[in-house]
Amino acid sequence: MADEPETLVLPDTMRPLIDLVVATMSQWRMAGGGMAPMRAVALDLVAVDIAARWLGIVIDPPMFRDLQVIEREALVAMRSER
């Protein structure tokens, strides 16, 4: 059917990154206030680091770059929803 979304299959090597992203979905640095609406501007990397430690995930440079890609795309998606 045309209305059904395609299934996205990611390699098992992405599981730690996916687990980390899911664990930190609500951990955003916010800016604004006053006359400006509050909006997410970046992931809270301290919270991400703590979540990674609790989950036993070691963030190496390639995973950090992948996380940055996800962060940028999430910000674009959040800003386009308004």
Side-chain angles (χ1 to χ4, degrees), residues 2-3 5-6 10 19-20 23 25 27 30 34 40 45-47 51 57 60 63 65 71 75 77 81:
D3 293 337
E6 291 184 33
L10 298 172
D19 290 343
L20 184 58
M25 287 177 12
Q27 301 303 312
M30 304 297 285
L45 293 181
V46 173
I57 296 171
D60 59 7
M63 180 185 283
R65 286 190 295 273
E71 174 189 46
L75 288 169
E81 291 177 356

Side-chain angles (χ1 to χ4, degrees), residues 31-80:
M35 297 294 287
M38 295 294 287
R39 68 179 196 163
V41 293
L43 273 172
D44 183 334
L45 293 181
V46 173
V48 170
D49 182 55
I50 291 168
R53 288 188 217 181
W54 287 355
L55 293 170
I57 296 171
V58 176
I59 302 175
D60 59 7
M63 180 185 283
F64 185 69
R65 286 190 295 273
D66 290 341
L67 183 62
Q68 288 177 307
V69 169
I70 291 169
E71 174 189 46
R72 279 191 303 270
E73 291 303 316
L75 288 169
V76 167
M78 285 188 274
R79 290 178 183 153
S80 68

Side-chain angles (χ1 to χ4, degrees), residues 11-41:
D12 286 338
T13 57
M14 298 298 285
R15 174 56 52 198
L17 176 62
I18 294 166
D19 290 343
L20 184 58
V21 168
V22 169
T24 58
M25 287 177 12
S26 64
Q27 301 303 312
W28 291 94
R29 295 282 180 161
M30 304 297 285
M35 297 294 287
M38 295 294 287
R39 68 179 196 163
V41 293

